[in-house]
């Protein structure tokens, strides 16, 4: 599967490079390249000075692009285009391309939509749609971060408004969508969200926000499947990638993460909800000074199943909690009550992990007293404390978990209780990993 995906990505990149070179020479909207009609937003009236509201022009151009099969909406490099909250909706003709070579920024002042929208740029009900280019997308989230109070925050003042900032780029109810090579920064909340999507390719992205920016996840998945996140660099104030209920068949490879909170599955099961996540594979990830590396987090009282996950061949650099499985997650200003139900966690393989921890912890597994974690495999994990500490082996701790430990020399209070082996046995790189199906 990986070779076919990479072949698709390489062929697509060659095509988009040729398109970009042609578009740079285009002087008028309505030109054609390889039979595809090109609509240049600046030729259609966009100002591109970074201050003028270009939203109406973008909507007018989108209407033309939407009804033209294989059309290209072109955002030229010489412009800085200010947009208010906008929806680019379908259904449209298939095989559309939004080529961003310039800069798109969130509009400020009158008409900016502050306080009234959940998202800034929304792409909805599309198929075979791509957003690519060497341009930049700037959500100007700094005007939100110091002013907005979320209900779960402990430092909310009596006059604070429990108002959520808008997300940045959002793809909803779409299939076979591609986002490539863009620089996305400073979203008020999540930078790039895929909701109810099937077939997602996020490649070559640079996503950045300050370390202290709240809730600024890099890539957020919910109810999405067949997702490929490849060769991305994500440096934000929250999760590099967050995977929520309903998501499955997710491949993350060659990702650089940090600062931020790492790669998280969850949180799942909040407010006694049912959650289902399965078929997650993360390989060749590098975590640099993140709060967490790999994390699965569930609330007490939920139900459902999170299973069939493989976190392998990755490196930690001064990560505070390199590996965490936590069925007692509680993002609340007050303690959470103990519950007897929980989202089940099983078939988790964590293998070939090296590097350093900024605490004395390498692996921390806390499973429910009533719904223990099962079929947990820990293999070839060599995480040390340091470099500011004594470079000793970091600690493993487990509670109420079943599974296997292989080739671990770290000190541990981690008695994974034995049980019948996984169908795939311990990790064997020569054999394909069989993903359990469904919940």
């Amino acid at each position: 599967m990986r070779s076919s995906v990479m072949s698709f990505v390489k062929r697509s990149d060659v095509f988009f490079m040729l398109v970009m070179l042609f578009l740079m020479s285009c002087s008028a909207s309505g030109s054609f390249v390889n039979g595809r009609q090109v609509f240049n937003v600046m030729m259609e009236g966009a100002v591109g000075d970074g201050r003028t509201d270009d939203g109406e022009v973008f909507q007018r151009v989108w209407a033309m692009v939407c009804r033209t099969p294989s059309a290209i909406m072109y955002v030229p490099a010489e412009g800085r285009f200010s947009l208010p909250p906008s929806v680019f909706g379908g259904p449209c003709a298939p095989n559309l391309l939004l080529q961003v070579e310039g800069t798109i920024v969130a509009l400020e002042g009158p008409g900016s939509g502050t306080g009234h929208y959940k998202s800034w740029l929304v792409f909805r009900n599309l198929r075979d749609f791509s957003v690519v280019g060497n341009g930049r997308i700037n959500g100007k989230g700094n005007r939100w971060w110091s002013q907005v109070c979320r209900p779960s925050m402990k430092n909310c003042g009596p006059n604070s408004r429990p108002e959520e900032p808008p997300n940045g780029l959002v793809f909803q109810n779409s299939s076979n969508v591609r986002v490539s090579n863009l620089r996305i920064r400073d979203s008020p909340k999540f930078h790039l969200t895929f909701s109810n999507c099937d077939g997602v390719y996020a490649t070559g992205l640079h996503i950045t926000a300050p370390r202290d920016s709240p809730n600024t996840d890099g890539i957020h998945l919910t109810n999405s499947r067949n997702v490929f996140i490849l060769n991305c660099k994500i440096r934000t104030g929250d999760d590099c990638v967050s995977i929520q209920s309903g998501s499955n068949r997710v491949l993350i490879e060659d990702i650089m993460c940090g600062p931020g909170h790492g790669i998280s599955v969850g949180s799942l099961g909040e407010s006694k909800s049912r959650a289902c996540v399965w078929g997650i594979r993360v390989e060749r990830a590098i975590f640099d000074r993140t709060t967490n590396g790999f994390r699965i987090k569930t609330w007490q009282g939920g139900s459902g199943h999170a299973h069939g996950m493989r976190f392998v061949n990755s490196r930690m650099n001064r990560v505070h909690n390199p590996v965490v499985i936590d069925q007692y997650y509680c993002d609340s200003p007050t303690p959470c009550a103990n519950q007897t139900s929980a989202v089940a966690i099983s078939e988790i393989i964590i293998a070939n992990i090296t590097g350093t921890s900024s605490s004395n912890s390498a692996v921390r597994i806390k499973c429910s007293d009533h719904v223990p974690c099962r079929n947990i495999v820990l293999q070839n994990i060599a995480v040390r404390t340091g470099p500011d500490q004594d470079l000793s082996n970091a600690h493993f701790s487990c509670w109420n978990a079943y599974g296997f430990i292989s080739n671990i020399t770290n000190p541990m209070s981690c008695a994974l209780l034995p049980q019948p082996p996984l169908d795939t046995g311990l990790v064997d790189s020569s054999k394909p990993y069989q993903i359990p199906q469904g919940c």
Side-chain angles (χ1 to χ4, degrees):
M1 178 179 69
R2 181 176 180 270
S3 61
S4 61
V5 171
M6 294 308 295
S7 177
F8 164 81
V9 170
K10 290 177 181 178
R11 290 197 306 270
S12 300
D13 286 344
V14 170
F15 169 76
F16 290 127
M17 180 61 70
L18 292 174
V19 170
M20 185 186 71
L21 291 173
F22 173 86
L23 291 173
M24 290 174 66
S25 65
C26 287
S27 59
S29 187
S31 302
F32 284 82
V33 54
N34 292 334
R36 304 184 69 168
Q37 190 167 4
V38 179
F39 296 88
N40 185 327
V41 296
M42 189 163 277
M43 295 300 104
E44 296 293 340
V47 177
D49 62 1
R51 300 182 303 275
T52 303
D53 182 351
D54 286 319
E56 184 178 341
V57 174
F58 271 63
Q59 289 295 323
R60 187 170 69 249
V61 174
W62 176 257
M64 295 186 288
V65 169
C66 181
R67 60 178 179 260
T68 307
S70 301
I72 299 172
M73 182 174 176
Y74 181 55
V75 180
E78 61 269 25
R80 182 177 174 88
F81 304 91
S82 293
L83 298 184
S86 304
V87 176
F88 301 93
C92 292
N95 198 28
L96 303 182
L97 170 66
L98 171 57
Q99 181 90 21
V100 181
E101 298 301 328
T103 300
I104 296 175
V105 298
L107 180 70
E108 296 184 85
S112 63
T114 300
H116 301 290
Y117 293 86
K118 294 183 178 180
S119 303
W120 173 37
L121 302 179
V122 179
F123 301 90
R124 179 183 297 161
N125 301 327
L126 301 170
R127 61 185 176 92
D128 303 323
F129 175 65
S130 299
V131 182
V132 303
N134 296 306
R136 291 170 168 78
I137 298 178
N138 187 342
K140 292 189 174 181
N142 60 324
R143 56 186 164 145
W144 285 92
W145 299 329
S146 63
Q147 300 176 10
V148 176
C149 167
R150 293 188 293 119
S152 61
M153 287 182 176
K154 298 179 181 180
N155 59 348
C156 293
N159 298 320
S160 298
R161 295 183 301 169
E163 185 179 330
E164 288 280 359
N167 294 315
L169 276 70
V170 177
F171 290 78
Q172 299 174 340
N173 305 316
S174 297
S175 62
N176 193 21
V177 295
R178 169 188 169 96
V179 185
S180 295
N181 300 329
L182 298 171
R183 273 53 177 169
I184 305 171
R185 63 173 299 176
D186 293 349
S187 175
K189 194 180 173 186
F190 303 155
H191 282 77
L192 179 58
T193 296
F194 297 95
S195 176
N196 297 299
C197 292
D198 187 355
V200 171
Y201 302 86
T203 63
L205 301 173
H206 288 215
I207 301 176
T208 58
R211 180 188 293 269
D212 60 352
S213 58
N215 218 21
T216 52
D217 295 21
I219 299 176
H220 181 79
L221 307 176
T222 179
N223 287 308
S224 293
R225 61 210 60 83
N226 300 313
V227 177
F228 300 88
I229 300 172
L230 311 174
N231 299 297
C232 293
K233 296 180 180 180
I234 303 176
R235 304 171 58 85
T236 68
D238 211 294
D239 295 330
C240 293
V241 180
S242 53
I243 303 170
Q244 293 294 332
S245 182
S247 298
N248 58 74
R249 302 186 188 94
V250 177
L251 174 64
I252 303 172
E253 284 187 345
D254 301 304
I255 185 172
M256 296 186 66
C257 173
H261 294 178
I263 295 176
S264 293
V265 177
S267 60
L268 306 175
E270 184 178 4
S271 302
K272 299 184 178 181
S273 61
R274 178 174 176 80
C276 174
V277 177
W278 61 273
I280 312 299
R281 175 167 178 157
V282 182
E283 187 158 359
R284 296 189 302 278
I286 297 175
F287 298 90
D288 185 21
R289 307 189 187 198
T290 53
T291 304
N292 307 292
F294 304 117
R295 178 169 60 160
I296 303 172
K297 51 182 180 176
T298 70
W299 293 76
Q300 294 187 78
S303 63
H305 200 180
H307 67 101
M309 303 184 196
R310 180 180 174 110
F311 307 111
V312 299
N313 303 327
S314 297
R315 181 167 182 80
M316 310 286 171
N317 176 30
R318 301 183 66 182
V319 175
H320 194 72
N321 299 301
V323 176
V324 177
I325 299 176
D326 184 7
Q327 286 186 296
Y328 294 91
Y329 180 74
C330 179
D331 183 22
S332 171
T334 58
C336 296
N338 289 333
Q339 304 284 333
T340 57
S341 61
V343 177
I345 296 176
S346 69
E347 288 83 46
I348 311 297
I349 294 177
I350 302 168
N352 304 330
I353 309 298
T354 61
T356 58
S357 167
S358 62
S359 69
N360 66 350
S361 175
V363 173
R364 181 162 53 88
I365 300 175
K366 297 192 303 180
C367 300
S368 166
D369 289 337
H370 303 277
V371 187
C373 303
R374 299 184 180 275
N375 290 335
I376 309 298
V377 175
L378 306 177
Q379 183 178 0
N380 300 332
I381 301 175
V383 176
R384 295 175 175 270
T385 59
D388 296 334
Q389 301 180 45
D390 58 4
L391 290 177
S392 62
N393 288 325
H395 194 263
F396 282 48
S397 63
C398 303
W399 175 258
N400 208 27
Y402 292 77
F404 304 90
I405 295 175
S406 174
N407 195 22
I408 304 293
T409 59
N410 297 56
M412 61 178 67
S413 55
C414 182
L416 285 180
L417 304 176
Q419 59 186 9
L422 290 166
D423 292 340
T424 53
L426 296 181
V427 177
D428 183 348
S429 59
S430 67
K431 297 179 180 179
Y433 176 59
Q434 302 300 315
I435 298 176
Q437 300 294 303
C439 272

